[in-house]
Amino acid sequence: MNQPKIGLVGVTCEYESGGQRAEELLKDIGNALCRKNVEVVHADKVAWNSADAVEICSQFKKENLDALVIVEVTWIMDSMQYIFINELNLPTVFWAVPYTETFSIGCVQHFGAILKAQGIEYEYVYGLPDNVEAVEKVKVVAEAGQIIKAVKGMRLALVGPRQTWRVAGPQDMSNEEWEFSRKLGVTLIHIEMTEVLSLAEKFSDKEAEAALKCLSKRTGIIKADDTAMKYMAKVYMATKEIAGKYSLDAMAAECYPMFSGVMNLTSSWLADEGFIVDTEGDIGHTVVMYMLNRAAKGGACALGEVGSIDDEKNILALAHEGSTAHSLAESIDKVQISQSGEKGTFVGVPVKPMDIVTISSIVGSKGYYKLLVENADVVQATREEWVKGGEKLLIKLHVADKASTAVEKLMEKGMDHHLIVKEGDYVQLMMTICKFLGMEIVRVFS
């Protein structure tokens, strides 16, 4: 994630008390945000009337902002604040100041009621510029705005065959794709698996060997044969070329059952290059992984599902076919590349211990989506446990609640079987993203 960028404007009214504080408040709030690594674009003037608001909106529209902070220096007419909301359409924080005679917090409550009635979400803070919690909350909204903007501009390829058919809707896509795109802004691009595989076949064995040599330092223990590894290198090169051709931000590729093992190693290699290739055509979870990667400023997510439950130690053992980033193992020598079919492979990764991780999962339809947002930690998996689990992905997820109770709650909430694991604590940020995107937040582990 780049440095988030906010527009900062003060609003006041000549008929109210307290407007003389505007300049100093805006200066000090701006400085406090800059110290938190937030880029601040100050409005060229304090907004005293609607003409000022229009002028400031014109200024801010040129700045590619991630969020907006409106400092309620005094009570102000809602007709003026409407201009900022309607023209800029940004995640907005209202900053109320603790001066009784200004009715600042009352103004936020009044305008907030209007926004709620219109189905528009907002955040607010209360205090002076030295209020640490207020500054941190603004930063989180700015980061959320940056991620939302990235998702709205995201190009995600669905790689896999979809024969032309319909019941009473779209012919080459599904209504579900339209609904998801309209809700989140993601553009879905259909690519046939044959395009990837045909391109892979055009690379020579010599080119494949050269690619494998370059990848050798970040490739685990190889149990697959030379033919499979050369083919994996060709698929990797083809996938990168396809990503460039369509200007993709991520891919959700068909794998199981017809193409098992074809994209797994490519997914692992590219995950460590910052590019997501989901191997089960899972569009929703690909988008969530994209969000989390941007929140973390890099790194890779692991995607798995509950394989077993240990109520004595509160462990959910997550497993998956085998396409996880090599970097999520303790060391490269603990990653194993195994044969899958004639020319495919799967990647075995016992995920390293992590003090805190963010757990997420998405489910929904028709523009209504629920997002699981929780914290847990990952504990050490022994080699024996990894072997017993099939030498694929293994994540020993330690949850605060009784493990079976956690699974029961997931089922009660109707959450999907795929769980994304990301190192770090991004719960508050993801909850803020959910709020501004209009998605239900689901908490079950705590």
Side-chain angles (χ1 to χ4, degrees):
M1 184 192 296
N2 298 321
Q3 185 181 27
K5 190 175 184 180
I6 66 137
L8 177 64
V9 60
V11 294
T12 188
C13 177
E14 61 180 316
Y15 304 112
E16 299 291 339
S17 175
Q20 76 280 358
R21 300 189 184 98
E23 297 288 352
E24 184 177 0
L25 281 169
L26 291 165
K27 178 184 174 182
D28 291 345
I29 290 171
N31 289 337
L33 289 168
C34 286
R35 287 193 292 270
K36 293 293 287 186
N37 197 36
V38 175
E39 183 180 352
V40 178
V41 177
H42 287 266
D44 289 337
K45 58 170 68 176
V46 174
W48 289 85
N49 52 51
S50 292
D52 291 337
V54 169
E55 188 176 334
I56 292 164
C57 285
S58 296
Q59 174 199 351
F60 281 172
K61 284 177 182 179
K62 301 173 184 176
E63 295 290 348
N64 195 29
L65 301 175
D66 298 311
L68 176 68
V69 177
I70 299 177
V71 181
E72 310 279 315
V73 182
T74 67
W75 179 277
I76 188 67
M77 292 184 295
D78 50 67
S79 58
M80 187 177 92
Q81 297 194 83
Y82 153 83
I83 295 170
F84 290 107
I85 298 300
N86 198 60
E87 289 231 346
L88 298 177
N89 193 27
L90 289 167
T92 300
V93 182
F94 295 95
W95 190 304
V97 292
Y99 299 107
T100 305
E101 82 280 8
T102 64
F103 300 100
S104 177
I105 186 64
C107 189
V108 173
Q109 183 180 356
H110 167 65
F111 194 63
I114 296 168
L115 293 179
K116 287 287 187 181
Q118 295 298 321
I120 299 172
E121 291 294 345
Y122 69 95
E123 286 286 2
Y124 80 94
V125 296
Y126 174 83
L128 293 175
D130 60 358
N131 186 308
V132 176
E133 290 182 0
V135 174
E136 182 62 32
K137 192 171 187 178
V138 171
K139 180 182 179 181
V140 170
V141 172
E143 290 175 337
Q146 188 177 59
I147 292 170
I148 290 168
K149 185 168 65 178
V151 170
K152 287 183 176 180
M154 184 183 182
R155 291 193 187 97
L156 195 164
L158 178 59
V159 184
R162 175 179 168 80
Q163 300 301 318
T164 295
W165 66 272
R166 61 179 172 164
V167 176
Q171 182 164 290
D172 305 306
M173 295 180 68
S174 67
N175 279 322
E176 190 176 17
E177 289 174 274
W178 274 96
E179 293 155 3
F180 190 78
S181 293
R182 288 177 63 82
K183 180 68 173 182
L184 299 185
V186 179
T187 298
L188 302 176
I189 298 175
H190 282 222
I191 300 172
E192 295 298 331
M193 183 65 81
T194 52
E195 183 174 352
V196 178
L197 301 185
S198 296
L199 181 57
E201 294 290 355
K202 293 180 180 179
F203 289 102
S204 67
D205 285 352
K206 187 174 181 179
E207 289 173 305
E209 289 166 0
L212 287 171
K213 185 176 181 180
C214 291
L215 292 163
S216 61
K217 290 184 179 180
R218 55 187 183 93
T219 301
I221 298 168
I222 298 171
K223 294 292 185 73
D225 62 33
D226 289 342
T227 300
M229 290 304 294
K230 287 177 185 176
Y231 188 61
M232 292 297 93
K234 293 176 183 180
V235 172
Y236 164 80
M237 290 187 287
T239 303
K240 292 188 74 168
E241 194 166 312
I242 292 289
K245 176 181 176 181
Y246 291 96
S247 298
L248 300 176
D249 296 295
M251 299 172 73
E254 184 186 30
C255 180
Y256 178 85
M258 299 302 294
F259 295 98
S260 289
V262 173
M263 299 293 282
N264 287 348
L265 186 48
T266 287
S267 175
S268 180
W269 279 330
L270 287 177
D272 282 328
E273 296 176 20
F275 187 84
I276 300 165
V277 179
D278 170 76
T279 56
E280 286 194 4
D282 190 336
I283 291 170
H285 287 89
T286 301
V287 172
V288 177
M289 285 191 281
Y290 183 73
M291 290 177 177
L292 284 166
N293 282 357
R294 293 189 72 91
K297 303 177 178 66
C301 297
L303 182 149
E305 55 200 71
V306 178
S308 61
I309 301 168
D310 181 351
D311 271 343
E312 290 187 10
K313 298 180 180 178
N314 288 350
I315 298 293
L316 301 178
L318 307 187
H320 211 247
E321 182 181 25
S323 54
T324 303
H326 283 59
S327 60
L328 293 181
E330 279 189 289
S331 59
I332 198 71
D333 60 353
K334 293 192 176 182
V335 180
Q336 180 175 294
I337 314 302
S338 301
Q339 193 88 17
S340 178
E342 185 180 349
K343 293 194 294 183
T345 62
F346 65 88
V347 184
V349 179
V351 170
K352 63 187 176 184
M354 300 176 187
D355 291 336
I356 188 164
V357 294
T358 300
I359 310 299
S360 196
S361 183
I362 190 170
V363 68
S365 64
K366 298 180 180 177
Y368 172 73
Y369 302 96
K370 298 190 291 187
L371 194 74
L372 171 71
V373 188
E374 276 293 358
N375 283 139
D377 61 282
V378 176
V379 299
Q380 183 80 49
T382 67
R383 177 171 176 77
E384 291 72 24
E385 289 171 326
W386 175 67
V387 170
K388 186 178 179 180
E391 300 183 0
K392 297 183 179 182
L393 170 69
L394 176 60
I395 308 171
K396 290 187 67 177
L397 191 68
H398 175 249
V399 295
D401 206 347
K402 188 177 179 181
S404 59
T405 301
V407 172
E408 185 175 347
K409 288 180 179 178
L410 286 170
M411 292 185 179
E412 286 176 355
K413 292 289 186 178
M415 297 310 300
D416 188 72
H417 69 300
H418 278 171
L419 295 174
I420 297 168
V421 180
K422 179 70 177 181
E423 187 170 17
D425 182 0
Y426 304 103
V427 166
Q428 191 59 50
L429 177 55
M430 293 298 285
M431 288 173 64
T432 303
I433 290 170
C434 285
K435 180 174 183 176
F436 283 105
L437 284 177
M439 295 195 293
E440 180 183 344
I441 300 164
V442 176
R443 307 296 304 273
V444 297
F445 291 175
S446 55

